[in-house]
Amino acid sequence: MTLEKQLKQKKYYEMFINEHENIHPIRVLGEAFQEEAQKDMPDLSHIRFAQGEVYFHHKDFETAIFKWGNIANELEQWAKKNTADAYYELGMLSTAEDIYSGIETDDLTLTTEVALQLFSLYIERGKLEAAIAIIKKTINSNPDYPNVTEIARAFFEEQHDWNNAIELAVNEAKRTETLEWFEVLHNYVEKGVTKNFAPSYFSQALIVLFNLDKKGFEQLVSSLWNSYRSEESYFSWLREINHLLLNLELNRNDDYDELSKHHKEAYFSFIDGRYFIKTLQELIPDLLTNWLRLADKANTVLAAASVLSWNELFPASISQSIVSEAENLISITESDMDELEECLSLFDSILKWAYTHEMGANNRVKWLAGQLVDFQTQHILVAGFKGSGKSSFINTILGDELQVGPTSSVVMFKAAEELTISEITDREISNLSGLEEFQEKMDRKRNALESIIELKSPMSFLEENKVAFLDTPGLTGSLHYDRYEVLKNLQVADTILFVVDANASFADKEWTALGQIQEIAPDIPVHFLISKMETIDNEQEALKIYDDIKAMVNSYLPDAKVFAFSTKYERNQQLNELKGFIQSIKNTRNLADKRLAKLLYFIRTTISSLLQKRIDVENQLIESVRWNEDMLMKLNGAVNQLSDTEVQRAKAVMKSYRAIKESIETDIAVAVPRMLQECSSFITEDSDFSKIHLDLNDEMNKRLQDYLEQKVMPKYYSKLQEWIERSHGEFNESQEFLVEMRDGFNQMYGEERMELACDFRVLDDWRRDTDRMTTRFQLETVNILLRRTPSQFLLKSAGKLFGALSQNKTMLFNKYKSFIENEDYSEAISAVNKQFFQPFELFEKSLERDVTIFFKGPKAILNRSVDEARTEIEKNQEMLNKMNENPEMFRDPLTLFEVRLRQFEWMTVAGKGMQTIY
C-alpha cells in the first residue's frame, strides 16, 4: 500500500507493526514510543500520528485528537485533517469546519480529501451554496481524483441542480471524450432540463461526439432539436446546428435518417405561411444545404427540389455547388412520394391560410380541385356560341328537359344514385331544393358566372360512359367575356366538345374562340359536335355540311373528331352512335399526370388570385374607412338633431303645460275673491257675531270646495286631455322625422339595420296619471277668516265683546259686511292654488324626463351606431396600417407557397417531362 493510500485510509500505523502482527497495535506503538523516547534526540511525531490513527479507528476520538495535536513534521497537515475528521465524528461540525478551512498544503491529494470532507460537512449543515462551490472547485483542480465527478453528479441530481449537472456532463464529455458522459448528457436532454442553455453551449461537445460516434451524435442532436422545437431559442438552435453541420464532413451514406427528418419538418413548417421571408432568408439556405448533404434515400429528391425551388425565387442564396448537386440528384434519383397527396396537402395549406386570414373560403376552386381527383370520371366541357344548340344536345342525351333556356351558369352534370343539386360559390356551397329552383338559377342574369351548379342524378348515359358534362354559357365573341368568364374553368376538363350550328357558317368568331381555347389550354384536345342537323332537309346538303366542317376543322386541328347530331334520329340509335363517339374522344392517356398538372395550375392561379385579393382587401378597407367616416359624420349629425329635437319637445311640452296651469291659476285668482266677497250675504243683523267668523270660514270653504271640484277640476281635466292630444301630434311629427331618418340610413346601409321607434307609452302614462289626479278633489279647510291679521283680530274681538248687545249689532253687521266685501283674499288664493296643484307637482317635474324616455330608444340606437361606425373605422384603419407597415404579412406567405409549388413541379412535372400549365 502506498504512503498516500495509507494516509487517506488512516493506516499509516501499519508500517510499525509489520513484524508484530499478533500484538495489539497500541502495545506495539507504545513500545516503539518508549524506545524512541530513550534516544538523545527523539522524533516522536510519526509514532504519535500512528497512535492517533489507532485511537480513531477504535472511536477514541479525544485521545486521537490529543495525539495529533503535537505533530511537527511533514505529517502535520495530515494530522490537522485527521483532527478535523475526529471532531466531525464527535458531531462538533463547526470546529471541524474551522480546522479543515485552516489547512494549507501543496499536496493535491490532501487538498482534495479536505475538500471532500468539507463538501460532506456543508451538506450536513445545510450550507448548499458552499457545498456546490467546494465540489466545483475540487473538480476544476483534480477532476481525475477517484469518484469526485460521480459524487458531484449524484449531488447535483439529488438537488435537482440541473444547470450544474449539465455543466459537469458537458465539461467531462469534452475532457474525457468518453461515451458514458455523452449518455449522461443525452439523458438530461431527454428529461427536458437543458432548454435553458443557449444552443451554442453544446457545440463543442457535439463536435467531439461526431468524431467518436456518428450515430450517437445524430441521436443527441435529434434530442436537442426536439427539446428546442417549442422554445424561443429554436431559431438560435437552427442557426447553431446548421453552422456546425456545415463544418463537419457529412456523408449521405452514413444514413442520417433522423437528421434528415428534422430538416424536412423544419423546412416545411417554415414555408407553410406562418413566417415572414426576412425571418427565414438567413436561415433557410444553410438548412437546405445541410438537408441535401445528409438526406436519406426517401427524401433525396425532395431535398434537391427544395434547394432548386428556393434558389429560383431567391437566386444566389445557396452556393452554386449545392445547386448543381441538387440538379444532378433530381435527375438521377427516383422518388416514391405520393404526388397527389402532397399536392392536395399544399393546396389545403393555402386554402386554410386564406381562410384564417379572412381571404375567403374559396369553395369554388376547392370544388374544382375535388373534381380533378375523381379519376373514375372523365370531364367533357361543352362549349359553343349562344344559340348553337348546346342545351338541346344536353337535354336529349340526358333524357330530360333539364334546361329550358340558355345556360347562365356553369353546370356540371354527373351520374349519381339520387338527385342532388348544389350551388358552389367562393363563399359557400348550398343545396338547391330541386329542379324548380335549379331552373330559377338558370334564368338569372346577375352574378350567374360567380357560381357553379352541380347536378347529380341517375343518368344512365353518363354512368355507362363514366363521363360528366360541364355545360357553359354561350360564347358571345367578346374576347374579355369569353376568356375570363366562360372559359375560365377550362382546366377542369379532360376533353372539350365544341358545338357548332349546322345552319351557321364556320366563321371568324369560331376560329377566334378556338384560338383562345388553344391559348388557355393547349394540352386539352378539342372535338366538334354539329347540332341542329334535323333542320337540314336535304340529305346531300347535310353530308356536304358535315364534310365541309370536318375538312375545315381538320385543317386547323388534324386530330379533332366531328359528330353530327340530330334530334330526329331514333334516340337509342343516336345514343349508341354518340356513345362510340364519346369513347373515342375520351382522353385517358396519362390521365393522372395530366390531372396533377391541372391541380398545380389551380394552385398557381389560387396563389395569384390571393395576391390580387390582398390588393382588393386593401382597397375595400380604404373604401370602408371612407364610408364609415362619412356615416359617422351623418350619425353624429343625427344624434345632435335628435338631441335638439328632444330639448325643443321638452320645452314645448313644459311651456304648454304651464300655460294651462297659469290659465287655471288666473281663473282661480279671479273667481275666488268674488266668491268669498259674495259670502257677505251670509251675514245678517241677527247673526251671532260672537262666532260669525267661524260660520263664515266654513261657508267660504264649502263654496271653494264646490267651485274647485265642479268647475275648475273638469276644466283642468279637459285642458289636460287637449294638451296630451297636442303632445301626441307633436310626438307623431317627431316619429315621422325619425322614420325618414331611419329610411335614409337603412338605404345607406343597404339593409333594414336600424329601427328608430319612440316610446309612445309615455302618453299612456300621462293619460293614466291625469285621470287619477283629476277624478276627485278634496279641499282641506283653508284658514280664511281665522288668521290673526289686525283687522280680523279687531272684528273677532268686537264680535265677542259686543255681540250680546243688541244696540251694537247694526254696527257689527255693517263692519263685517264691509270687511268681507272689501278683503283681497290673496293669501286664500295662494293657499287654494297650492292645494289644488300639489298633486300635479311630481307630474310636472317628471315631464322633461318623460320626453327623454320618449326619445330614449332612437337615441340609444343612433349612439350605438356611432360607436359601431367608430369601432369599424378604428379596426379597418388598424388593419390598413398593419398591411401598409407590413406588406409582407400577405406577400411573404404566398411567396413561400409558391416556393412549395415550384418544389413540387421540380419533383413531378419537370421530372416526368410534363408540360407546366400557366
Side-chain angles (χ1 to χ4, degrees):
M1 184 182 293
T2 63
L3 175 62
E4 185 178 83
K5 191 172 184 180
Q6 287 178 337
L7 292 173
K8 286 165 57 178
Q9 296 180 4
K10 294 184 178 64
K11 291 187 176 181
Y12 178 76
Y13 70 88
E14 290 182 348
M15 66 184 297
F16 290 96
I17 60 174
N18 288 337
E19 299 175 358
H20 311 283
E21 293 180 358
N22 297 324
I23 304 174
H24 196 281
I26 292 295
R27 182 177 176 181
V28 174
L29 291 171
E31 291 175 353
F33 185 89
Q34 293 299 327
E35 183 181 344
E36 183 69 24
Q38 301 300 318
K39 296 180 180 180
D40 293 337
M41 297 183 65
D43 182 5
L44 300 175
S45 293
H46 292 89
I47 299 172
R48 287 179 180 278
F49 186 86
Q51 287 176 322
E53 289 179 333
V54 175
Y55 287 125
F56 184 90
H57 285 305
H58 286 81
K59 300 189 182 302
D60 186 356
F61 299 120
E62 292 182 353
T63 303
I65 291 169
F66 172 76
K67 287 294 183 179
W68 285 326
N70 295 292
I71 307 300
N73 60 6
E74 72 276 5
L75 298 176
E76 180 180 358
Q77 298 304 318
W78 277 101
K80 288 182 178 180
K81 184 262 180 188
N82 289 347
T83 300
D85 291 347
Y87 279 115
Y88 195 157
E89 293 295 330
L90 288 169
M92 301 173 68
L93 303 183
S94 178
T95 303
E97 181 180 347
D98 291 340
I99 296 172
Y100 284 137
S101 302
I103 295 173
E104 296 180 0
T105 179
D106 293 331
D107 186 339
L108 185 59
T109 299
L110 176 58
T111 301
T112 304
E113 284 291 313
V114 169
L116 290 174
Q117 286 296 95
L118 274 172
F119 173 68
S120 298
L121 185 148
Y122 287 147
I123 293 174
E124 193 166 339
R125 299 192 69 187
K127 300 169 71 172
L128 297 181
E129 291 185 4
I132 292 170
I134 195 72
I135 195 66
K136 291 177 73 173
K137 181 179 178 183
T138 302
I139 292 170
N140 287 335
S141 62
N142 197 4
D144 290 321
Y145 197 76
N147 296 324
V148 67
T149 53
E150 289 301 319
I151 290 170
R153 175 192 164 194
F155 170 69
F156 292 145
E157 289 181 356
E158 183 180 351
Q159 297 297 318
H160 292 258
D161 184 357
W162 299 116
N163 287 346
N164 280 315
I166 293 163
E167 181 182 345
L168 174 66
V170 170
N171 290 338
E172 287 302 293
K174 292 188 293 187
R175 187 183 71 83
T176 64
E177 296 188 3
T178 57
L179 294 179
E180 288 79 10
W181 278 108
F182 283 104
E183 290 173 3
V184 171
L185 177 59
H186 194 177
N187 182 52
Y188 291 155
V189 177
E190 289 294 306
K191 281 180 178 288
V193 296
T194 59
K195 297 176 183 178
N196 293 331
F197 282 80
S200 58
Y201 185 78
F202 303 102
S203 294
Q204 285 302 116
L206 289 172
I207 292 172
V208 171
L209 181 57
F210 179 80
N211 294 321
L212 286 174
D213 179 11
K214 290 181 173 54
K215 183 52 65 176
F217 166 80
E218 182 184 29
Q219 291 171 351
L220 181 55
V221 170
S222 179
S223 294
L224 284 167
W225 202 310
N226 287 330
S227 72
Y228 284 120
R229 191 183 306 278
S230 301
E231 303 298 316
E232 291 183 3
S233 52
Y234 183 48
F235 276 77
S236 297
W237 159 255
L238 290 173
R239 279 190 288 270
E240 187 66 30
I241 191 59
N242 279 293
H243 178 72
L244 186 151
L245 291 172
L246 286 173
N247 292 283
L248 296 178
E249 293 294 329
L250 298 177
N251 189 331
R252 194 177 296 108
N253 295 327
D254 288 336
D255 295 328
Y256 294 105
D257 294 354
E258 283 295 312
L259 286 182
S260 176
K261 176 184 174 184
H262 283 300
H263 278 77
K264 175 183 177 181
E265 290 176 351
Y267 175 66
F268 279 99
S269 70
F270 291 147
I271 61 172
D272 69 354
R274 289 181 294 166
Y275 297 94
F276 294 146
I277 290 173
K278 65 181 179 183
T279 308
L280 305 176
Q281 270 184 311
E282 179 186 352
L283 188 66
I284 293 293
D286 287 349
L287 182 74
L288 291 178
T289 297
N290 286 319
W291 186 20
L292 187 68
R293 295 172 66 214
L294 51 75
D296 57 331
K297 186 176 180 181
N299 288 291
T300 301
V301 172
L302 183 58
S306 300
V307 167
L308 295 173
S309 60
W310 185 269
N311 189 65
E312 268 189 14
L313 271 80
F314 305 99
S317 60
I318 300 176
S319 71
Q320 186 56 45
S321 62
I322 293 295
V323 174
S324 299
E325 183 180 357
E327 290 174 343
N328 181 55
L329 285 170
I330 206 168
S331 64
I332 65 173
T333 311
E334 292 185 0
S335 171
D336 57 357
M337 178 186 69
D338 187 332
E339 298 162 345
L340 182 62
E341 183 179 345
E342 291 289 335
C343 192
L344 290 173
S345 174
L346 169 58
F347 194 47
D348 187 55
S349 297
I350 296 170
L351 296 182
K352 282 182 178 177
W353 176 87
Y355 185 78
T356 303
H357 289 79
E358 299 181 353
M359 303 292 282
N362 296 284
N363 285 300
R364 184 174 168 278
V365 70
K366 190 186 299 185
W367 179 87
L368 290 169
Q371 302 309 307
L372 292 176
V373 298
D374 178 9
F375 293 103
Q376 302 303 314
T377 306
Q378 281 265 314
H379 303 128
I380 298 177
L381 185 140
V382 184
F385 279 86
K386 289 182 178 180
S388 62
K390 288 190 304 88
S391 297
S392 297
F393 163 69
I394 294 288
N395 288 336
T396 300
I397 64 171
L398 299 183
D400 202 348
E401 288 292 323
L402 296 174
Q403 299 191 82
V404 295
T407 304
S408 60
S409 296
V410 175
V411 185
M412 170 77 83
F413 295 100
K414 203 169 187 179
E417 292 183 358
E418 58 183 29
L419 175 67
T420 58
I421 308 175
S422 304
E423 181 176 19
I424 301 100
T425 67
D426 276 343
R427 293 183 298 277
E428 62 181 351
I429 298 177
S430 55
N431 292 324
L432 305 187
S433 59
L435 290 173
E436 184 177 348
E437 189 176 0
F438 169 73
Q439 296 296 346
E440 291 176 2
K441 293 290 183 182
M442 290 297 95
D443 290 339
R444 66 186 170 179
K445 300 299 181 185
R446 187 178 178 187
N447 301 326
L449 286 169
E450 292 182 1
S451 68
I452 296 173
I453 307 293
E454 183 181 41
L455 191 153
K456 297 193 289 188
S457 72
M459 292 179 279
S460 58
F461 184 87
L462 299 182
E463 176 64 30
E464 290 170 6
N465 290 281
K466 302 298 180 187
V467 296
F469 282 121
L470 194 67
D471 191 15
T472 58
L475 300 172
T476 64
S478 166
L479 290 177
H480 184 275
Y481 177 82
D482 291 347
R483 182 184 183 90
Y484 297 104
E485 297 297 336
V486 179
L487 301 176
K488 63 183 178 183
N489 301 297
L490 273 181
Q491 295 301 340
V492 79
D494 300 303
T495 302
I496 298 168
L497 185 59
F498 196 92
V499 180
V500 294
D501 186 347
N503 297 292
S505 59
F506 208 92
D508 290 343
K509 64 177 184 178
E510 278 80 11
W511 291 119
T512 302
L514 287 170
Q516 289 192 68
I517 290 172
Q518 287 290 292
E519 183 182 349
I520 297 170
D523 59 324
I524 302 177
V526 182
H527 302 284
F528 294 83
L529 182 138
I530 307 173
S531 69
K532 301 183 182 180
M533 290 297 286
E534 71 275 6
T535 63
I536 310 299
D537 295 329
N538 188 316
E539 185 176 344
Q540 292 299 323
E541 180 65 21
L543 286 172
K544 183 177 185 305
I545 291 173
Y546 174 82
D547 291 338
D548 288 347
I549 291 177
K550 190 174 190 308
M552 193 178 301
V553 163
N554 290 148
S555 67
Y556 182 66
L557 299 169
D559 296 327
K561 296 182 179 180
V562 181
F563 183 81
F565 180 79
S566 171
T567 57
K568 282 187 176 181
Y569 294 161
E570 198 275 321
R571 186 172 184 273
N572 289 334
Q573 179 187 348
Q574 179 86 90
L575 290 181
N576 285 332
E577 293 177 358
L578 182 61
K579 180 178 179 180
F581 175 72
I582 293 296
Q583 290 300 323
S584 70
I585 67 172
K586 283 175 68 174
N587 185 13
T588 58
R589 185 179 179 184
N590 297 328
L591 180 64
D593 290 344
K594 291 176 180 178
R595 291 276 185 92
L596 188 61
K598 293 174 185 296
L599 194 54
L600 292 173
Y601 163 80
F602 279 117
I603 292 174
R604 183 171 296 283
T605 56
T606 299
I607 292 173
S608 299
S609 68
L610 290 174
L611 285 169
Q612 182 58 45
K613 276 187 179 180
R614 189 267 179 202
I615 299 171
D616 295 341
V617 166
E618 183 175 1
N619 292 334
Q620 289 168 7
L621 287 172
I622 293 171
E623 177 57 26
S624 177
V625 169
R626 186 203 63 74
W627 187 84
N628 277 292
E629 285 175 343
D630 187 45
M631 286 297 292
L632 181 61
M633 182 177 68
K634 289 181 169 65
L635 286 166
N636 278 324
V639 170
N640 293 332
Q641 275 186 295
L642 184 55
S643 296
D644 292 343
T645 301
E646 180 185 328
V647 171
Q648 292 168 4
R649 285 288 176 256
K651 286 181 178 179
V653 164
M654 293 293 294
K655 183 178 179 181
S656 58
Y657 175 81
R658 284 171 181 161
I660 294 171
K661 179 180 176 183
E662 289 169 2
S663 71
I664 297 299
E665 287 176 338
T666 300
D667 289 349
I668 291 173
V670 171
V672 167
R674 185 172 62 250
M675 183 189 312
L676 297 181
Q677 288 167 357
E678 289 173 353
C679 287
S680 64
S681 62
F682 184 73
I683 307 170
T684 64
E685 291 186 8
D686 295 332
S687 298
D688 184 354
F689 289 102
S690 63
K691 60 173 184 174
I692 188 65
H693 59 287
L694 298 173
D695 295 337
L696 273 172
N697 200 72
D698 290 342
E699 178 64 20
M700 288 178 173
N701 274 280
K702 180 177 178 300
R703 294 188 182 188
L704 283 174
Q705 173 68 40
D706 292 343
Y707 168 69
L708 292 171
E709 187 170 14
Q710 296 175 16
K711 292 185 177 181
V712 177
M713 191 61 78
K715 182 177 180 181
Y716 191 32
Y717 173 77
S718 176
K719 286 182 174 291
L720 285 176
Q721 299 312 304
E722 293 174 1
W723 167 75
I724 291 173
E725 288 306 313
R726 284 198 304 275
S727 298
H728 194 173
E730 293 170 354
F731 282 176
N732 279 334
E733 291 177 6
S734 299
Q735 181 64 75
E736 289 172 3
F737 161 71
L738 289 171
V739 167
E740 291 180 6
M741 183 185 290
R742 174 204 68 190
D743 292 343
F745 278 118
N746 286 341
Q747 186 175 2
M748 285 185 280
Y749 282 122
E751 60 177 316
E752 296 299 316
R753 183 172 176 177
M754 189 181 290
E755 184 59 50
L756 304 178
C758 296
D759 191 353
F760 281 89
R761 291 177 298 178
V762 167
L763 295 169
D764 295 332
D765 292 341
W766 288 357
R767 293 187 183 96
R768 185 176 58 254
D769 289 344
T770 53
D771 284 346
R772 175 177 51 80
M773 292 185 293
T774 58
T775 299
R776 187 175 182 279
F777 176 74
Q778 179 60 52
L779 180 69
E780 294 182 9
T781 302
V782 180
N783 190 357
I784 302 172
L785 296 177
L786 302 180
R787 295 190 303 278
R788 293 183 176 275
T789 62
S791 57
Q792 288 185 1
F793 177 73
L794 289 173
L795 277 173
K796 285 187 283 185
S797 299
K800 291 178 182 179
L801 180 62
F802 302 111
L805 302 176
S806 57
Q807 63 272 25
N808 294 321
K809 284 189 174 182
T810 300
M811 179 188 68
L812 286 172
F813 167 74
N814 291 328
K815 287 291 185 184
Y816 258 108
K817 194 172 183 67
S818 174
F819 171 76
I820 295 302
E821 291 174 349
N822 294 303
E823 179 67 21
D824 66 357
Y825 299 106
S826 57
E827 290 187 15
I829 293 169
S830 177
V832 168
N833 279 331
K834 182 177 181 181
Q835 279 198 50
F836 185 82
F837 290 107
Q838 187 175 11
F840 297 91
E841 285 182 1
L842 187 60
F843 177 76
E844 181 180 356
K845 290 178 180 178
S846 67
L847 289 178
E848 191 170 352
R849 177 185 61 83
D850 289 344
V851 174
T852 299
I853 291 173
F854 178 78
F855 289 106
K856 182 179 180 180
K859 199 169 187 180
I861 290 171
L862 287 172
N863 281 322
R864 185 166 64 246
S865 298
V866 166
D867 292 339
E868 288 172 356
R870 189 175 289 115
T871 301
E872 196 69 17
I873 290 170
E874 291 172 357
K875 183 183 76 173
N876 291 335
Q877 190 62 57
E878 182 182 358
M879 178 64 77
L880 196 57
N881 292 340
K882 193 175 180 181
M883 289 176 68
N884 291 331
E885 291 170 6
N886 303 296
E888 65 274 15
M889 182 173 66
F890 285 91
R891 183 195 63 220
D892 284 11
L894 293 172
T895 302
L896 293 174
F897 284 133
E898 190 172 358
V899 169
R900 286 181 64 182
L901 174 62
R902 285 298 300 136
Q903 166 188 308
F904 195 80
E905 289 174 346
W906 270 105
M907 295 177 65
T908 57
V909 180
K912 294 182 177 183
M914 293 162 51
Q915 182 178 359
T916 304
I917 303 171
Y918 289 99

